Amino acid sequence: MWRDEYREELLKKRETAKAGGGKKRLEKQHEKGKLSARERLDILFDSGTFVEVDGLIESRIDDFHMAEKRVPGDGVVTGYGRINGRLAFAYSEDFTVIGGTLGEYHSLKICRIMERALEMRVPLIAINDSGGARIEEGVSSLNGYSGMFLRNTRASGVIPQIAVIMGPCAGGACYSPAICDFIFMTENTSRMFITGPGVVKEVIGEDVSSFELGSAKIHMERSGVAHFVFKDDSSCLKGVRKLLSYLPINNKEKAPETGSSYIDTTDILQEIVPEEQRKVYDIRKVIDAVMDTASFLEIQEDYAANLVVGFARLEGKVLGIVANQPFVLGGALDGNASEKGARFIRFCDAFNIPILTLVDVPGFFPGTKQEHSGIIRKGAKILYAYSEATVPKVSLIMRKAYGGAYIAMNSKSMGADMVYAWPIAQIAVMGAEGAADIIYKREIENAQDREKVREEFIERYRNNFMNPYVAASRGYIDEVILPEETRKKLIDAFDMCQTKSKYSVEKKHGNIPL
């Protein structure tokens, strides 16, 4: 029999590692409304499935009293387990140990778990709660970040990568989450910024708070950095679990299917979408009426809200939804919406998720502000993303489809597999009013009753050029359908596209207009 001291030594080291920074620091963590690194993993993973790895690794730095702060684990818990019954890897930074700062061995543990996730071809979840680079370890900490960025990039498009910000995430630490597919934040405890308030004041003399620089609200509504924001740690991690239920584990697999739960409400689509082109409505109501009941999961809900994107299920199968939102800016595409859409489309394409596009767009949003902020370059991104995507792509034109924005929203010649239109759809270079004013300018000016003649020309243009039957006669629309037929037509179209084969021109990669 082995001597008892072997067992005792091992159990003691395990206890020390699990204790992290100790009881007092854990209490401070809880006082701030934050869970511990291990408590977070307990919520993220299915009960009893998490397996820790590299739990006894320690920093080797003794300078600056580091020997007194050193504990097994080095401020990050890494491992694997099951989420919704499927394998996933994760790391969770421990703010109670040296502020969760990233040093040589802290980053080594993270890089190892990233490599294992990529080798096993399963999702990686990164829980960030860190004071940034560990200044006591100098360039070694910076080198650690570079190793993480490299692995994030290698894994991009191969496995889903999800970053969860549950405390400070500053400086270079921000860029690993930025390369990930989705970023989750909590309302009161998350902060992401490249330079802190002290640096901002020193450089430009401006006093700002960390809230103004990097709160969840700022990143959801203004910067577009965040994809989901939740009230607290627990609800946030449950949100991660929900998102993963829509995603395949890697780029070779399909998203998980579920049973279909649907209450037929397609008869109210005509009530939801007004015939009058200028009247607004909430596109989410259309999505809810057509997709499986309560299956829509919206992404970046409060950013570039004129374009709605997210995942939903149709007959239990996951689709990516891209839809104009008439309720905001009339559904026009601006620069931010174009980037938001392009990013989402490329994710769906990378992970074999078919795309449904719901079209009601008056054009690209006009104005000098948009022009000067790069609408040409940003708008080209959504064009590129749709053209590049090889997954099944189906479009439904509900009302307006004008100008370049009609082309951008997955038009037939841009590679859409099927394009449907409702009878009230209008497809043209611009609205009838503007077109009549240009085409029939002379006739209107020479008329005795200008307003009456103008209305007649508007109606003539609308009847002769804008109705969906004109586009259908040219082959730009596959079929004009009634609203109540929508769900069945979409089910049939995506079912037909299941065996769609991919093809591409041989090249290293394209050059998307970033």
Side-chain angles (χ1 to χ4, degrees), residues 42-57:
D42 286 341
I43 294 172
L44 177 63
F45 286 93
D46 297 348
S47 179
T49 67
F50 181 72
V51 178
E52 185 175 358
V53 298
D54 290 332
L56 300 181
I57 282 182

Side-chain angles (χ1 to χ4, degrees), residues 219-226 299-307 335-337 339-340:
H219 287 311
M220 175 56 92
E221 297 179 7
R222 293 178 60 181
S223 74
V225 169
I299 295 167
Q300 290 186 298
E301 181 178 351
D302 298 321
Y303 177 71
N306 43 318
L307 190 74
N336 289 344
E339 288 186 323
K340 172 182 172 180

Side-chain angles (χ1 to χ4, degrees), residues 14 26 51 62 69 94 123 129 137 159 163 178 200 246 248 278-279 325 329 340-341 344 365 381 385 391 426 471 509:
R14 285 180 178 175
L26 178 58
V51 178
D62 291 330
K69 305 174 184 177
D94 187 349
D129 188 0
E137 297 194 24
I159 58 173
V200 172
Y246 287 83
R278 293 182 181 276
K279 287 186 178 180
Q325 174 59 293
L329 300 181
K340 172 182 172 180
F344 180 73
F365 197 73
K381 295 180 184 181
V391 293
Q426 295 184 353
H509 57 71

Side-chain angles (χ1 to χ4, degrees), residues 128 149 152 163 165 169 172-183 192:
N128 296 263
F149 302 157
N152 281 131
I165 315 301
C169 183
C174 292
Y175 287 112
S176 179
I179 302 172
C180 288
D181 299 303
F182 300 100
I183 295 177
M192 286 184 79

Side-chain angles (χ1 to χ4, degrees), residues 31 50 56 118 160 204 206 210 227 273 358 360-361 363-364 453 491:
E31 287 170 6
F50 181 72
L56 300 181
L118 184 55
I204 64 174
E206 182 181 348
S210 63
H227 296 85
V273 182
L358 300 176
D360 190 350
V361 63
F364 281 98
V453 170
I491 291 171

Side-chain angles (χ1 to χ4, degrees), residues 187-492:
E187 287 181 0
N188 299 316
T189 57
S190 296
R191 293 292 182 273
M192 286 184 79
F193 44 77
I194 298 302
T195 52
V199 176
V200 172
K201 183 175 182 180
E202 182 179 339
V203 174
I204 64 174
E206 182 181 348
D207 283 315
V208 292
S209 68
S210 63
F211 182 87
E212 291 174 296
L213 280 175
S215 69
K217 182 178 177 63
I218 291 294
H219 287 311
M220 175 56 92
E221 297 179 7
R222 293 178 60 181
S223 74
V225 169
H227 296 85
F228 297 94
V229 172
F230 287 87
K231 183 179 180 180
D232 53 30
D233 285 13
S234 180
S235 59
C236 189
L237 292 162
K238 290 174 183 176
V240 175
R241 288 177 58 88
K242 183 175 181 178
L243 173 63
L244 284 169
S245 72
Y246 287 83
L247 307 183
I249 59 171
N250 60 50
N251 64 342
K252 298 295 184 182
E253 302 292 332
K254 289 185 177 181
E257 295 184 18
T258 64
S260 176
S261 172
Y262 179 64
I263 301 172
D264 190 353
T265 54
T266 51
D267 59 332
I268 67 169
L269 286 171
Q270 292 184 60
E271 299 174 20
I272 296 172
V273 182
E275 182 180 350
E276 170 54 52
Q277 297 284 342
R278 293 182 181 276
K279 287 186 178 180
V280 301
Y281 62 92
D282 189 345
I283 191 63
R284 297 182 188 92
K285 293 182 179 180
V286 175
I287 297 170
D288 289 341
V290 176
M291 297 293 108
D292 291 357
T293 302
S295 70
F296 182 53
L297 177 63
E298 188 171 356
I299 295 167
Q300 290 186 298
E301 181 178 351
D302 298 321
Y303 177 71
N306 43 318
L307 190 74
V308 171
V309 303
F311 300 109
R313 287 190 171 89
L314 185 65
E315 289 286 277
K317 297 175 182 178
V318 176
L319 299 180
I321 309 288
V322 180
N324 303 116
Q325 174 59 293
F327 212 68
V328 180
L329 300 181
L333 285 176
D334 63 357
N336 289 344
S338 298
E339 288 186 323
K340 172 182 172 180
R343 172 75 171 171
F344 180 73
I345 291 162
R346 299 192 89 207
F347 176 85
C348 290
D349 188 49
F351 289 98
N352 308 309
I353 299 173
I355 301 169
L356 170 63
T357 305
L358 300 176
V359 185
D360 190 350
V361 63
F364 281 98
F365 197 73
T368 55
K369 184 177 181 180
Q370 283 295 309
E371 298 287 354
H372 294 170
S373 66
I375 184 64
I376 296 172
R377 174 175 51 82
K378 293 176 180 178
K381 295 180 184 181
I382 194 166
L383 291 161
Y384 192 105
Y386 268 127
S387 298
E388 182 186 46
T390 59
V391 293
K393 297 177 291 184
V394 177
S395 293
L396 170 66
I397 301 172
M398 297 173 296
R399 291 198 308 184
K400 300 179 294 295
Y402 295 163
Y406 151 65
I407 301 170
M409 292 298 292
N410 194 39
S411 58
K412 188 70 175 178
S413 297
M414 283 272 291
D417 296 296
M418 292 291 287
V419 177
Y420 298 107
W422 286 346
I424 62 170
Q426 295 184 353
I427 304 148
V429 175
M430 61 176 65
E433 292 85 353
D437 288 340
I438 295 171
I439 297 172
Y440 303 111
K441 180 181 180 182
R442 184 178 300 175
E443 290 88 339
I444 294 171
E445 288 179 347
N446 293 335
Q448 288 186 345
D449 189 341
R450 293 184 179 181
E451 193 57 40
K452 180 182 178 182
V453 170
R454 180 175 181 269
E455 286 300 320
E456 290 174 353
F457 282 131
I458 289 171
E459 190 63 22
R460 179 190 299 182
Y461 185 84
R462 186 177 288 124
N463 292 335
N464 293 345
F465 298 101
M466 298 187 70
N467 68 71
Y469 305 105
V470 175
S473 71
R474 303 289 188 271
Y476 305 140
I477 290 173
D478 291 290
E479 189 177 355
V480 180
I481 63 174
L482 295 171
E484 60 267 28
E485 298 174 317
T486 300
R487 179 177 167 91
K488 185 179 186 308
K489 292 292 183 180
L490 294 178
I491 291 171
D492 290 343

